[in-house]
């Protein structure tokens, strides 16, 4: 990833199958999740354009390989999201109204 300098991976976790999930910000404005296999090959990557100017700062993967992110804008962690093992959005909760 290259560009504005306000991008990159902020957190990484390994799922039960040994796949690597990395979260961060891409192109200076979009939250980003990438899933790699244990050999470092990209399995899928998702950009969440509906939440521009936000980041995913942390990630957790449960025993069913569901992905949970915590993120926000300007360093504030103000939302939690759940994605399935394919990176499809399931739900999100904002802590700010």
């Amino acid at each position: 990833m290259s560009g504005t300098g306000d991008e990159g991976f902020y957190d990484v976790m390994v799922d039960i199958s040994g796949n690597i999930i990395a979260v961060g910000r891409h192109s200076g404005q979009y939250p980003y999740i990438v899933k790699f296999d244990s050999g470092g090959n990209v399995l899928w990557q998702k950009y969440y354009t509906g939440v521009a100017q936000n980041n995913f700062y942390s990630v957790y993967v449960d025993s069913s390989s569901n992905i949970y992110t915590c993120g926000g804008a300007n360093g504030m962690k103000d939302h939690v999201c759940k994605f399935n093992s394919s990176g499809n959005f399931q739900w999100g909760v904002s802590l700010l109204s």
Side-chain angles (χ1 to χ4, degrees):
M1 294 172 49
S2 63
T4 67
D6 188 18
E7 57 192 27
F9 294 122
Y10 295 116
D11 198 15
V12 175
M13 188 162 183
V14 177
D15 71 13
I16 196 164
S17 300
N19 298 308
I20 303 156
I21 310 298
V23 298
R25 184 174 175 164
H26 179 57
S27 296
Q29 59 183 341
Y30 298 116
Y32 184 61
I33 301 177
V34 182
K35 186 173 187 176
F36 302 91
D37 65 18
S38 60
N41 301 300
V42 174
L43 297 174
W44 53 256
Q45 53 190 335
K46 305 273 183 158
Y47 308 88
Y48 298 95
T49 59
V51 285
Q53 303 304 320
N54 280 287
N55 298 323
F56 291 145
Y57 291 112
S58 58
V59 63
Y60 173 78
V61 182
D62 68 17
S63 61
S64 298
S65 296
N66 293 302
I67 302 163
Y68 300 85
T69 63
C70 181
N74 301 317
M76 295 180 57
K77 295 180 180 176
D78 62 8
H79 66 261
V80 176
C81 297
K82 178 182 178 183
F83 303 87
N84 67 17
S85 62
S86 298
N88 297 314
F89 180 79
Q90 302 297 293
W91 54 258
V93 176
S94 176
L95 305 176
L96 302 175
S97 43

